[in-house]
């Protein structure tokens, strides 16, 4: 008896039929492309609806298939995702076999935002789509190559980075950079190869020494070399006046261990073997990067004067560093998907809450309000933290914000009457910088009044403005009544 085809198999059948007779610039049947996108999404561990939407992502725009057909056969969720991806693309130039006509970067970015407002999985499908197009970019005419490559470098690779999808970022950036600046690409690629070759022998020795020491301490580990990507070297060199001697992470070893304690143990062991370089020890475990990346980094100098960077992390951190948002999906698939369906976003991993910002912007755009895209792009990649009220409302603040900034953000009345703050359930002081994901509770008292000393405990212009106003009113009130003794002047900024 023949088995019922799965939903994914059915989608492949439908897409194959729909794209029948269409070809890519490479000369292959068009269906090769949606199938490649499917494979990428499966490798990323995405849920079934996303994989199906990946198979069907070009059908509505390029074939006779309609959204209604898709809704009928595959359900609302898949139709929703395909619609999002379709909105991301643009009107083609009438040539069905070109998958690659792209509008101006800005325009595309705007569409990206609008679609993002609906479901972040749309972006993940788009990233998979873009990755395959980059892998097959050689089939296109040079002007299109450059355009797509540039856009990938400026928008898509940074987005992949923001989502902590490290493998994707590296592959995209290097594929694209090759087209944007082929000479530089070759030059740096050779440089990396040469440096790896010359470091290979001493690296082997270091690997051995570290392995022995870790074994002696009974730490379970895996150690491997990490190759620096061409594009990240290019960017780093630009930052260091092209001085290759200032690039310390050209050769790096990655140590993966079982748990956080072992990470710190391994760091200690490595430091007992080699001299660490000052200022180059980074604890991204205690203080994760904005995108959620966690790892210990240290640069050491070996006995024979080799400079090597070590990256130490757990298996889980490694997984997340390479696959990022996709990994979160994999682990929280059910929970996340359910929440998306309900239109909730607060169960996103804390470090990805910047997406709320995008979604708010998207809502603005949908209402037809004007948004300064240039500013937006900066905002999007600037450092920001997201903290919670005890009720779970999300408040975004600039990095380094203090409890009073938070209080004034909630409400002027709250700000004016602050007597204390609890951070993550514990009493804390007003000078404590808020951190990503903190739960912040402001304690107030009717009798409290704003103090001029508070001006030194805020960093946001919003809070400064509110506080200055409150201080002025207080000052005026005090002057109106005959004061028993002179009131000290208020410090003006
Ligand atoms: Mn496509």
């Amino acid at each position: 008896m023949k088995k019922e085809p799965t939903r994914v198999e059915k989608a492949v059948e439908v897409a194959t039929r729909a794209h029948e007779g269409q070809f890519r610039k490479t000369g292959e049947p068009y269906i090769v492309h949606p199938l490649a996108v499917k494979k990428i999404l499966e490798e990323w561990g995405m849920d079934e609806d996303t994989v199906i939407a990946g198979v069907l992502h070009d059908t509505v725009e390029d074939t006779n298939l309609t959204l209604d057909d898709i809704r009928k056969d595959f359900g609302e969720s898949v139709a929703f995702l395909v619609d999002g991806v379709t909105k991301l693309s643009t009107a083609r130039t009438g040539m069905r076999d070109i998958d690659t006509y792209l509008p101006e970067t800005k325009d595309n970015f705007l569409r990206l935002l609008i679609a993002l407002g609906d479901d972040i999985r749309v972006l993940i499908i788009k990233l998979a789509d873009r990755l395959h197009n980059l892998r097959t970019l050689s089939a296109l005419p040079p002007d299109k190559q450059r355009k797509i490559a540039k856009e990938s470098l400026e928008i898509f690779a940074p987005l992949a980075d923001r989502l902590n999808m490290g493998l994707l970022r590296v592959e995209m950036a290097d594929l694209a950079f090759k087209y944007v600046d082929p000479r530089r690409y070759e030059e740096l690629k050779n440089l990396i190869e040469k440096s790896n070759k010359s470091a290979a022998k001493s690296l082997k020795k270091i690997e051995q020494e570290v392995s022995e020491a870790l074994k002696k301490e009974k730490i379970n580990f895996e150690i491997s070399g990490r190759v620096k990507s061409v594009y990240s070297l290019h960017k780093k060199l630009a930052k260091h006046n092209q001085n290759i001697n200032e690039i310390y992470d050209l050769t790096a070893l990655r140590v993966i261990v079982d748990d956080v304690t072992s990470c710190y143990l391994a760091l200690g062991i490595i430091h007992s073997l080699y001299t660490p370089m000052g200022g180059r020890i980074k604890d991204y475990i205690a203080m994760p990067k904005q995108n959620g990346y966690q790892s210990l980094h240290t640069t050491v100098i070996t006995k024979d004067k080799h400079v090597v960077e070590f990256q130490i992390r757990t298996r889980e951190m490694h997984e997340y560093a390479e696959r990022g948002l996709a990994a979160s999906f994999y682990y929280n698939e059910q929970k996340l998907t359910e929440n998306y369906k309900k239109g909730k976003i607060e169960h996103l991993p804390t470090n990805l809450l910047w997406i709320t910002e995008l979604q708010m912007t998207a809502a603005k755009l949908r209402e037809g309000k004007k948004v300064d895209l240039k500013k937006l792009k900066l905002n999007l990649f600037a450092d920001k933290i997201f903290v919670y009220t005890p009720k779970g409302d999300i408040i975004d603040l600039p990095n380094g914000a203090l409890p009073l900034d938070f209080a004034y953000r909630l409400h002027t009345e709250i700000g004016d009457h602050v007597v204390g703050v609890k951070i993550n359930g514990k009493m804390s002081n007003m000078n404590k910088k808020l951190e990503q994901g903190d739960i912040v509770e402001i304690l107030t008292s009717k009798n409290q009044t704003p103090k001029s000393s508070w001006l030194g405990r805020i960093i946001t212009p919003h809070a400064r403005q509110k506080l200055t106003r409150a201080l002025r009113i207080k000052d005026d009130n005090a002057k109106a009544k005959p004061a028993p003794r002179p009131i000290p002047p208020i410090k003006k900024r």
Side-chain angles (χ1 to χ4, degrees):
M1 208 176 86
K2 221 184 139 224
K3 245 178 69 193
E4 269 288 296
T6 63
R7 287 176 78 222
V8 176
E9 283 165 356
K10 214 174 131 198
V12 171
E13 241 181 74
V14 168
T16 308
R17 225 180 305 125
H19 287 296
E20 182 91 70
Q22 297 176 351
F23 294 89
R24 300 198 91 215
K25 274 278 169 189
T26 54
E28 299 162 302
Y30 193 87
I31 191 67
V32 167
H33 168 65
L35 289 182
V37 170
K38 163 181 176 276
K39 191 160 163 264
I40 293 168
L41 291 169
E42 282 168 344
E43 280 165 9
W44 290 350
M46 295 307 295
D47 61 288
E48 195 183 71
D49 280 349
T50 308
V51 171
I52 292 171
V55 174
L56 298 169
H57 81 272
D58 277 330
T59 54
V60 171
E61 195 169 0
D62 287 349
T63 76
N64 294 326
L65 215 65
T66 66
L67 263 185
D68 281 335
D69 297 335
I70 292 174
R71 192 172 294 118
K72 219 169 71 221
D73 285 349
F74 301 99
E76 185 57 49
S77 176
V78 172
F80 194 74
L81 292 171
V82 172
D83 191 34
V85 180
T86 307
K87 279 181 191 152
L88 271 183
S89 315
T90 52
R92 303 263 165 94
T93 45
M95 296 170 74
R96 300 204 131 201
D97 55 334
I98 295 183
D99 177 51
T100 40
Y101 172 77
L102 283 165
E104 285 301 305
T105 298
K106 264 190 189 170
D107 198 32
N108 208 29
F109 191 60
L110 199 139
R111 284 162 199 276
L112 181 73
L113 285 169
I114 292 174
L116 253 179
D118 297 330
D119 193 322
I120 190 74
R121 291 179 298 175
V122 169
L123 174 61
I124 293 190
I125 297 168
K126 188 66 206 168
L127 286 168
D129 176 43
R130 175 53 61 103
L131 178 60
H132 183 244
N133 285 336
L134 277 172
R135 282 177 181 168
T136 51
L137 202 53
S138 62
L140 292 188
D143 59 321
K144 290 223 169 76
Q145 286 177 350
R146 273 187 60 86
K147 200 171 185 177
I148 294 170
K150 217 166 154 250
E151 190 190 50
S152 301
L153 270 189
E154 283 175 12
I155 307 263
F156 287 95
L159 271 172
D161 186 41
R162 268 299 222 163
L163 301 172
N164 201 14
M165 299 172 80
L167 287 178
L168 174 65
R169 170 185 56 82
V170 167
E171 187 179 351
M172 263 195 174
D174 278 9
L175 279 172
F177 187 50
K178 203 161 84 182
Y179 289 94
V180 170
D181 193 346
R183 256 190 50 208
R184 182 72 171 151
Y185 177 86
E186 278 308 316
E187 192 185 359
L188 291 180
K189 200 174 141 234
N190 288 335
L191 196 139
I192 290 173
E193 269 164 19
K194 241 168 64 194
S195 124
N196 282 341
K197 231 190 212 158
S198 77
K201 229 176 120 190
S202 58
L203 221 53
K204 222 62 274 119
K205 201 178 135 215
I206 295 163
E207 209 179 302
Q208 243 163 25
E209 284 172 351
V210 171
S211 297
E212 267 167 40
L214 289 172
K215 265 184 215 149
K216 232 169 99 189
E217 298 298 325
K218 303 213 161 36
I219 293 174
N220 251 328
F221 69 95
E222 272 168 50
I223 189 166
S224 60
R226 130 26 205 98
V227 178
K228 191 156 184 67
S229 84
V230 174
Y231 186 61
S232 69
L233 177 61
H234 168 71
K235 272 192 5 205
K236 228 171 193 172
L237 278 169
K239 228 162 89 188
H240 291 272
N241 286 323
Q242 305 303 326
N243 186 352
I244 189 83
N245 295 321
E246 279 180 32
I247 312 295
Y248 297 122
D249 62 349
L250 212 51
T251 35
L253 285 170
R254 198 169 272 159
V255 181
I256 295 168
V257 295
D258 289 342
D259 49 37
V260 172
T261 314
S262 307
C263 289
Y264 289 101
L265 279 174
L267 180 75
I269 290 165
I270 289 162
H271 284 175
S272 71
L273 288 173
Y274 315 111
T275 318
M277 272 175 82
R280 298 218 30 108
I281 304 165
K282 289 175 201 138
D283 187 348
Y284 295 124
I285 292 180
M287 284 163 288
K289 284 192 187 179
Q290 195 71 19
N291 62 9
Y293 174 86
Q294 286 188 298
S295 210
L296 298 175
H297 288 192
T298 184
T299 307
V300 301
I301 306 164
T302 66
K303 282 146 229 159
D304 41 8
K305 300 287 174 242
H306 274 97
V307 176
V308 183
E309 182 182 89
F310 281 91
Q311 303 176 348
I312 309 160
R313 54 177 87 143
T314 66
R315 165 92 11 228
E316 207 185 330
M317 289 170 193
H318 181 59
E319 186 74 359
Y320 188 63
E322 296 208 314
R323 300 201 298 133
L325 180 65
S328 313
F329 264 101
Y330 185 73
Y331 292 122
N332 306 303
E333 187 187 306
Q334 252 15 62
K335 203 169 115 197
L336 278 169
T337 315
E338 277 315 301
N339 282 321
Y340 279 124
K341 278 185 197 149
K342 288 185 214 139
K344 283 194 205 158
I345 39 112
E346 68 263 33
H347 291 293
L348 274 176
T350 323
N351 40 47
L352 293 173
L353 285 174
W354 59 274
I355 287 163
T356 354
E357 190 187 353
L358 283 186
Q359 288 172 326
M360 271 151 47
T361 311
K364 246 195 226 164
L365 289 168
R366 251 189 251 105
E367 287 162 19
K369 287 187 191 147
K370 255 194 121 134
V371 171
D372 184 354
L373 281 173
K374 228 163 146 191
K375 220 164 97 197
L376 189 67
K377 196 177 164 193
L378 281 177
N379 274 341
L380 174 57
F381 301 111
D383 280 352
K384 228 171 203 194
I385 56 165
F386 293 89
V387 296
Y388 300 91
T389 68
K391 280 188 189 153
D393 293 325
I394 304 157
I395 308 290
D396 68 304
L397 289 165
N399 231 342
L402 298 163
L404 274 169
D405 292 304
F406 176 84
Y408 275 105
R409 172 63 72 81
L410 293 183
H411 200 280
T412 313
E413 278 297 302
I414 297 176
D416 286 349
H417 295 98
V418 174
V419 288
V421 60
K422 273 187 183 173
I423 298 176
N424 302 323
K426 274 190 222 139
M427 282 307 295
S428 184
N429 74 57
M430 303 305 287
N431 292 321
K432 172 88 174 57
K433 277 187 194 164
L434 300 180
E435 277 170 36
Q436 187 72 277
D438 278 347
I439 300 165
V440 187
E441 185 181 353
I442 297 294
L443 310 175
T444 57
S445 156
K446 268 205 320 269
N447 301 324
Q448 177 70 297
T449 54
K451 309 268 181 289
S452 58
S453 63
W454 290 3
L455 283 168
R457 292 178 184 174
I458 51 178
I459 69 151
T460 56
H462 172 82
R464 182 168 312 285
Q465 191 198 340
K466 298 284 177 202
L467 176 57
T468 316
R469 230 191 103 218
L471 289 170
R472 211 180 295 129
I473 292 168
K474 192 181 149 195
D475 194 24
D476 289 346
N477 287 346
K479 270 183 197 149
K481 284 178 229 151
R485 53 194 165 93
I487 288 174
I490 285 157
K491 269 183 223 145
K492 287 252 164 68
R493 275 190 46 107

